Amino acid sequence: MMEHINSHLMAAYARQPVSFVRGSGARLWDEQGVEYLDAMAGVAVTSLGHAHPEIAAVIAEQARMLLHTSNIFRIDWQERLGERLCALTGMQQVFFCNSGAEANEAALKLARLHGQRQGISVPKILVMENGFHGRTLATLSATGNPAKQRGFEPLMPGFIRVPYNDIHAVCQMLDTVPDIVAILIEPVQGEGGIRPASVEYLQELRAVCDEHECLLMMDEIQAGMGRTGAWFGHQHACIVPDVITLAKALGNGFPIGACLARGMAADLFSPGQHGSTFGGNPLACRVAYTVLDIMIRDQLPQRAATLGARLLAGLQQALRHHPDVRAIRGQGLMLGIELDRPCQALVWKALVQERLLITVTRERTIRLLPPLVCSEAQIDDIVARIARLLHTFAEAAPTKLHKVALGG
């Protein structure tokens, strides 16, 4: 692998020195023709795998017909995609944009409009510790990660933070802090270390939001689109939110985001209050519609549940006696392996030693997000490569005596 340095790129990313030039399904090839197994799917984006032939054909055909007209005019593919997404989610209205952060921006604006409609001049939104909602100033302010916020102060006011999966903390805030108009939550915290919310917690959130006339806003950007074994992560709890945000796997790599709403949240926007130049263009919406076609036809949410159970069982068996593994958790094909010390270096070691793509979040958790189209053999291969990788990680660990000394 050769390292190419382009001095014209801002240093916003700590890039690995490998460049991929071709992909197929869950496999990738670099400039030297070396093959890799993808266990991160572009961070939960390419759920249908790389270079899906139907997606490629649709992109080529639509590009020859029409790319962009603007939202000044009707867009047929946008209306068709909106109808399908509402049928899958139980929502009533959709706003299309280009990314997850934009979808969450739309949701936050809906929350403020909801507050204004109730006569609340300074509405507040309840968010969760360790949550992640984006990197714009508003979504960064909603995010519960000081490391990502550092340097961008002052943050936007109006966000109240409570522990995740703690309904008592939510109820206490709602009872004591005035003017809370919405709760924004991920059904599975992705950047927060792959932490699923309990079914009971989500059901109780729905109940307290109804009681307090708050909007329940579900950030499904990483957990949605079949990844957890249901179409959307909150559906494991058999609840319906007021607002849902989507992106990532919705376009299988083509940029598109969506903010969906129902009930009192569905009619809050009026013309001129929100917009997006590129959002909902014919190409993006036709690609996303095709993604849904394929996922429905191939029953990919159900496949994610089956493959996720296989991956979890394999990891539990392979790592059951590993001295550095604290926990293995997740839902469907959204799994995390929490270790007892920082492990960011494993991203590079996995590339070099195992030809495996992984990510590390919250410094200590290996995050696995394989494509939903993986074969059983590829799932087993991921387990084998992770086991070998963590075997070398254990060998490189300091001795227990040294660990005690380091702890004082």
Side-chain angles (χ1 to χ4, degrees), residues 23 37 43 51 90 135 139 141 147 177-178 193 201 203 219 224 231 260 264 271 288 294 307 335 340-341 361 393 407:
L37 181 57
V43 193
R135 296 176 186 271
T139 57
S141 300
V177 177
Y201 175 67
Q203 291 172 343
D219 180 339
W231 271 103
L260 300 93
M264 54 188 170
I294 295 166
L307 292 180
L335 294 176
D340 64 354
R341 62 188 189 279
T361 186
F393 184 72

Short mmCIF file of all heavy atoms in Angstrom, two decimals, residues 23 37 43 51 90 135 139 141 147 177-178 193 201 203 219 224 231 260 264 271 288 294 307 335 340-341 361 393 407:
data_model
loop_
_atom_site.label_atom_id
_atom_site.label_comp_id
_atom_site.label_asym_id
_atom_site.label_seq_id
_atom_site.Cartn_x
_atom_site.Cartn_y
_atom_site.Cartn_z
N GLY A 23 -15.03 -2.48 -5.92
CA GLY A 23 -15.73 -3.25 -4.91
C GLY A 23 -16.76 -4.16 -5.53
O GLY A 23 -17.23 -3.94 -6.65
N LEU A 37 -12.05 -7.66 3.11
CA LEU A 37 -13.42 -7.94 3.52
C LEU A 37 -13.94 -6.74 4.30
O LEU A 37 -13.32 -6.28 5.25
CB LEU A 37 -13.47 -9.20 4.39
CG LEU A 37 -14.84 -9.66 4.90
CD1 LEU A 37 -15.80 -9.91 3.75
CD2 LEU A 37 -14.68 -10.93 5.74
N VAL A 43 -19.36 2.82 7.09
CA VAL A 43 -20.03 3.24 8.32
C VAL A 43 -21.56 3.17 8.13
O VAL A 43 -22.27 4.17 8.14
CB VAL A 43 -19.59 4.64 8.81
CG1 VAL A 43 -20.08 4.86 10.24
CG2 VAL A 43 -18.09 4.79 8.76
N ALA A 51 -20.94 -1.68 -5.57
CA ALA A 51 -21.17 -1.88 -7.00
C ALA A 51 -22.36 -2.78 -7.28
O ALA A 51 -22.30 -3.67 -8.14
CB ALA A 51 -19.90 -2.43 -7.67
N GLY A 90 -45.06 4.49 9.05
CA GLY A 90 -46.25 5.01 9.72
C GLY A 90 -46.26 6.52 9.81
O GLY A 90 -47.09 7.10 10.52
N ARG A 135 -22.55 17.01 12.77
CA ARG A 135 -21.44 17.93 13.01
C ARG A 135 -21.75 19.37 12.61
O ARG A 135 -20.84 20.21 12.61
CB ARG A 135 -20.19 17.43 12.28
CG ARG A 135 -19.70 16.10 12.80
CD ARG A 135 -18.51 15.60 11.98
NE ARG A 135 -18.09 14.26 12.35
CZ ARG A 135 -17.19 13.98 13.30
NH1 ARG A 135 -16.65 14.95 13.99
NH2 ARG A 135 -16.86 12.73 13.56
N THR A 139 -26.59 20.23 15.37
CA THR A 139 -26.52 18.79 15.68
C THR A 139 -25.31 18.47 16.56
O THR A 139 -25.36 17.54 17.35
CB THR A 139 -26.47 17.95 14.39
OG1 THR A 139 -25.36 18.36 13.58
CG2 THR A 139 -27.76 18.11 13.59
N SER A 141 -24.31 20.49 18.89
CA SER A 141 -24.77 20.89 20.22
C SER A 141 -25.66 19.81 20.84
O SER A 141 -25.66 19.62 22.05
CB SER A 141 -25.54 22.21 20.13
OG SER A 141 -24.72 23.23 19.60
N ALA A 147 -15.48 15.63 23.16
CA ALA A 147 -14.31 15.63 22.28
C ALA A 147 -14.65 16.17 20.90
O ALA A 147 -13.83 16.84 20.27
CB ALA A 147 -13.76 14.21 22.17
N VAL A 177 -37.96 20.72 34.64
CA VAL A 177 -37.45 21.73 33.70
C VAL A 177 -38.58 22.16 32.78
O VAL A 177 -39.15 21.33 32.07
CB VAL A 177 -36.26 21.19 32.88
CG1 VAL A 177 -35.79 22.23 31.87
CG2 VAL A 177 -35.11 20.79 33.80
N PRO A 178 -38.94 23.43 32.78
CA PRO A 178 -40.05 23.87 31.93
C PRO A 178 -39.65 23.95 30.45
O PRO A 178 -38.46 24.04 30.12
CB PRO A 178 -40.35 25.28 32.46
CG PRO A 178 -39.06 25.75 33.05
CD PRO A 178 -38.38 24.52 33.60
N GLY A 193 -20.86 3.76 21.10
CA GLY A 193 -20.32 2.47 21.53
C GLY A 193 -21.22 1.28 21.30
O GLY A 193 -21.09 0.26 21.96
N TYR A 201 -37.66 0.87 27.83
CA TYR A 201 -37.27 2.28 27.85
C TYR A 201 -37.94 3.04 26.70
O TYR A 201 -38.51 4.12 26.90
CB TYR A 201 -35.76 2.37 27.76
CG TYR A 201 -35.20 3.77 27.65
CD1 TYR A 201 -35.30 4.67 28.70
CD2 TYR A 201 -34.52 4.18 26.49
CE1 TYR A 201 -34.76 5.95 28.61
CE2 TYR A 201 -33.98 5.45 26.40
CZ TYR A 201 -34.11 6.32 27.45
OH TYR A 201 -33.57 7.59 27.36
N GLN A 203 -40.62 2.21 25.04
CA GLN A 203 -42.07 2.25 25.27
C GLN A 203 -42.43 3.31 26.31
O GLN A 203 -43.43 4.03 26.17
CB GLN A 203 -42.56 0.87 25.70
CG GLN A 203 -42.49 -0.16 24.58
CD GLN A 203 -42.81 -1.57 25.04
OE1 GLN A 203 -42.77 -1.86 26.25
NE2 GLN A 203 -43.10 -2.46 24.11
N ASP A 219 -33.66 9.26 15.87
CA ASP A 219 -32.54 9.34 14.93
C ASP A 219 -32.19 7.91 14.49
O ASP A 219 -31.53 7.17 15.20
CB ASP A 219 -31.34 10.01 15.61
CG ASP A 219 -30.12 10.13 14.71
OD1 ASP A 219 -30.03 9.38 13.72
OD2 ASP A 219 -29.24 10.95 15.02
N GLY A 224 -31.24 2.56 11.29
CA GLY A 224 -32.38 2.31 10.42
C GLY A 224 -32.05 1.55 9.16
O GLY A 224 -30.93 1.08 8.96
N TRP A 231 -36.96 -3.00 10.09
CA TRP A 231 -36.75 -1.89 9.18
C TRP A 231 -36.14 -0.69 9.91
O TRP A 231 -35.22 -0.05 9.42
CB TRP A 231 -38.07 -1.48 8.53
CG TRP A 231 -38.35 -2.24 7.26
CD1 TRP A 231 -39.22 -3.28 7.10
CD2 TRP A 231 -37.75 -2.03 5.98
NE1 TRP A 231 -39.19 -3.73 5.80
CE2 TRP A 231 -38.30 -2.98 5.09
CE3 TRP A 231 -36.80 -1.13 5.50
CZ2 TRP A 231 -37.93 -3.05 3.75
CZ3 TRP A 231 -36.42 -1.20 4.17
CH2 TRP A 231 -36.98 -2.14 3.31
N LEU A 260 -38.91 12.51 8.48
CA LEU A 260 -40.31 12.10 8.35
C LEU A 260 -41.06 12.50 9.62
O LEU A 260 -40.50 12.46 10.72
CB LEU A 260 -40.43 10.59 8.15
CG LEU A 260 -39.75 10.00 6.91
CD1 LEU A 260 -38.34 9.53 7.22
CD2 LEU A 260 -40.57 8.84 6.34
N MET A 264 -49.01 15.90 14.96
CA MET A 264 -48.82 17.34 15.16
C MET A 264 -47.50 17.85 14.59
O MET A 264 -47.35 19.06 14.41
CB MET A 264 -48.88 17.66 16.67
CG MET A 264 -47.94 16.87 17.52
SD MET A 264 -48.26 17.17 19.28
CE MET A 264 -47.23 15.92 20.05
N PRO A 271 -44.24 26.91 3.41
CA PRO A 271 -43.30 27.31 2.36
C PRO A 271 -42.39 28.45 2.80
O PRO A 271 -42.84 29.46 3.34
CB PRO A 271 -44.22 27.73 1.21
CG PRO A 271 -45.44 26.88 1.40
CD PRO A 271 -45.62 26.79 2.89
N ALA A 288 -32.75 5.81 -4.06
CA ALA A 288 -33.28 5.36 -2.77
C ALA A 288 -34.51 4.47 -2.96
O ALA A 288 -34.69 3.49 -2.24
CB ALA A 288 -33.63 6.57 -1.90
N ILE A 294 -35.07 -3.35 -3.57
CA ILE A 294 -34.17 -4.50 -3.38
C ILE A 294 -34.28 -5.03 -1.96
O ILE A 294 -34.33 -6.25 -1.74
CB ILE A 294 -32.71 -4.09 -3.70
CG1 ILE A 294 -32.59 -3.72 -5.19
CG2 ILE A 294 -31.73 -5.21 -3.34
CD1 ILE A 294 -31.31 -3.01 -5.54
N LEU A 307 -28.29 -13.03 10.12
CA LEU A 307 -26.83 -12.94 10.07
C LEU A 307 -26.27 -12.30 11.34
O LEU A 307 -25.18 -12.66 11.80
CB LEU A 307 -26.40 -12.13 8.85
CG LEU A 307 -26.65 -12.76 7.48
CD1 LEU A 307 -26.17 -11.83 6.37
CD2 LEU A 307 -25.95 -14.12 7.36
N LEU A 335 -23.00 -4.42 15.69
CA LEU A 335 -22.41 -5.02 16.87
C LEU A 335 -21.15 -4.28 17.31
O LEU A 335 -20.41 -3.74 16.49
CB LEU A 335 -22.06 -6.49 16.61
CG LEU A 335 -23.25 -7.43 16.36
CD1 LEU A 335 -22.75 -8.82 16.03
CD2 LEU A 335 -24.16 -7.48 17.58
N ASP A 340 -10.87 -3.49 27.09
CA ASP A 340 -10.54 -2.88 28.38
C ASP A 340 -9.56 -1.72 28.27
O ASP A 340 -9.15 -1.15 29.29
CB ASP A 340 -9.98 -3.94 29.34
CG ASP A 340 -8.67 -4.53 28.85
OD1 ASP A 340 -8.23 -4.23 27.72
OD2 ASP A 340 -8.06 -5.33 29.61
N ARG A 341 -9.20 -1.34 27.06
CA ARG A 341 -8.28 -0.22 26.87
C ARG A 341 -8.45 0.33 25.45
O ARG A 341 -9.06 -0.32 24.60
CB ARG A 341 -6.83 -0.66 27.10
CG ARG A 341 -6.31 -1.73 26.16
CD ARG A 341 -4.95 -2.20 26.65
NE ARG A 341 -4.28 -3.08 25.71
CZ ARG A 341 -4.52 -4.37 25.58
NH1 ARG A 341 -5.46 -4.94 26.34
NH2 ARG A 341 -3.85 -5.09 24.70
N THR A 361 -15.03 3.04 17.91
CA THR A 361 -15.75 4.17 18.44
C THR A 361 -15.61 4.23 19.95
O THR A 361 -15.44 3.20 20.60
CB THR A 361 -17.24 4.11 18.02
OG1 THR A 361 -17.89 5.30 18.43
CG2 THR A 361 -17.94 2.91 18.62
N PHE A 393 -3.71 -8.58 19.85
CA PHE A 393 -3.94 -7.46 20.77
C PHE A 393 -3.66 -7.90 22.20
O PHE A 393 -3.03 -7.17 22.97
CB PHE A 393 -5.39 -6.99 20.62
CG PHE A 393 -5.74 -5.78 21.44
CD1 PHE A 393 -5.25 -4.52 21.10
CD2 PHE A 393 -6.60 -5.88 22.53
CE1 PHE A 393 -5.60 -3.40 21.84
CE2 PHE A 393 -6.95 -4.77 23.27
CZ PHE A 393 -6.44 -3.52 22.93
N GLY A 407 -2.41 1.69 37.32
CA GLY A 407 -3.62 2.20 38.00
C GLY A 407 -3.30 2.83 39.34
O GLY A 407 -4.18 3.38 39.99
#
